[in-house]
Amino acid sequence: MGPPGSGKGTVSARITKSFGLKHLSSGDILRANINAKTELGLLMKSCIDQGQLVPDDVMSRLILSDLRAIGQSSWLLDGFPRTVSQAEALDDAYSVDTVINLNVPFQTIKQRLTSRWTHLPSGRVYNIDFNPPKVPGFDDVTGEPLVQRDDDTPETVTRRLKAYETQTEPVLEYYRSKGVLVTFSGTETNKIWPHVETFLHSKLPYVNQNVA
């Protein structure tokens, strides 16, 4: 768990690689269903197009059906649950033993996200602060102009962070009360990661041997 832009995707990829867990990202599942025009995908697209959140029961059904398909493997969820009712739906089906929360200051996230510019045709992403294009505003390979995705404009970022705060903070509280929440704070993913890795090595000793 963590606000948009807190590095969940990067940390999830590293956990998956180091510990061999199956990784389910709610964003990836949403996009796949929308692209495949499944019944749930069409329903979700109409919500998103109207700027609404996908209803909890739809989201829960989607994720739980993917989890059932995984079978007995250990898994890592990223981007779900986002609300307490999603967390309860997950608890009804599975027991969650660890919830990792990336606590990154909103100020850092705003700076990080609003510095992102994308070359839409290729999906190449630049960051003005640490991975700038050679020529400001233009793609290194094609020389075509870069755009700032709607998601990354300062107004949208502020709105997304506010939504995260109101919706997802109660989920953190829910898991805190169950004693499964572990929070890692920092402003840089590369500095947060070693702490997450050390913690997981103590939590998942049996996985390490397989990887080693």
Side-chain angles (χ1 to χ4, degrees):
M1 301 203 48
S6 58
K8 288 192 297 291
T10 306
V11 170
S12 295
R14 290 180 187 182
I15 292 174
T16 309
K17 188 163 180 267
S18 301
F19 297 95
L21 301 181
K22 298 265 189 246
H23 175 214
L24 282 188
S25 152
S26 62
D28 290 350
I29 293 170
L30 272 172
R31 278 188 289 277
N33 274 270
I34 288 170
N35 291 343
K37 296 188 166 52
T38 65
E39 186 189 347
L40 284 176
L42 293 170
L43 185 62
M44 291 183 297
K45 186 172 181 339
S46 73
C47 292
I48 294 164
D49 288 348
Q50 291 164 36
Q52 297 167 342
L53 286 163
V54 176
D56 285 341
D57 61 321
V58 174
M59 206 61 220
S60 300
R61 267 163 56 202
L62 198 65
I63 302 288
L64 290 172
S65 78
D66 276 50
L67 283 178
R68 278 192 291 275
I70 285 177
Q72 292 304 306
S73 304
S74 295
W75 39 257
L76 169 70
L77 281 175
D78 156 20
F80 179 92
R82 287 220 170 137
T83 64
V84 172
S85 76
Q86 289 177 9
E88 289 169 346
L90 181 60
D91 266 351
D92 286 344
Y94 295 95
S95 64
V96 172
D97 59 9
T98 307
V99 177
I100 290 174
N101 175 37
L102 303 179
N103 177 31
V104 178
F106 280 8
Q107 203 40 52
T108 302
I109 290 172
K110 279 183 190 173
Q111 194 179 344
R112 194 182 283 176
L113 291 183
T114 54
S115 302
R116 272 201 315 206
W117 289 79
T118 306
H119 177 245
L120 287 179
S122 68
R124 274 186 288 279
V125 176
Y126 297 89
N127 189 297
I128 305 304
D129 297 327
F130 54 81
N131 174 34
K134 295 190 179 86
V135 180
F138 296 94
D139 178 52
D140 287 355
V141 180
T142 64
E144 292 168 345
L146 301 174
V147 298
Q148 192 166 44
R149 283 177 26 202
D150 291 343
D151 273 4
D152 298 335
T153 61
E155 303 74 34
T156 310
V157 168
T158 303
R159 204 167 58 240
R160 285 169 72 200
L161 290 173
K162 203 85 209 125
Y164 175 79
E165 210 169 22
T166 49
Q167 272 193 314
T168 315
E169 290 289 338
V171 181
L172 295 177
E173 208 36 67
Y174 174 84
Y175 285 125
R176 195 175 284 123
S177 69
K178 289 181 170 290
V180 293
L181 184 75
V182 193
T183 295
F184 296 92
S185 303
T187 55
E188 291 175 46
T189 304
N190 284 342
K191 289 186 178 167
I192 293 177
W193 165 246
H195 300 287
V196 175
E197 188 178 29
T198 303
F199 165 74
L200 284 175
H201 273 298
S202 67
K203 191 86 186 166
L204 301 167
Y206 63 92
V207 186
N208 311 348
Q209 289 137 28
N210 303 349
V211 177

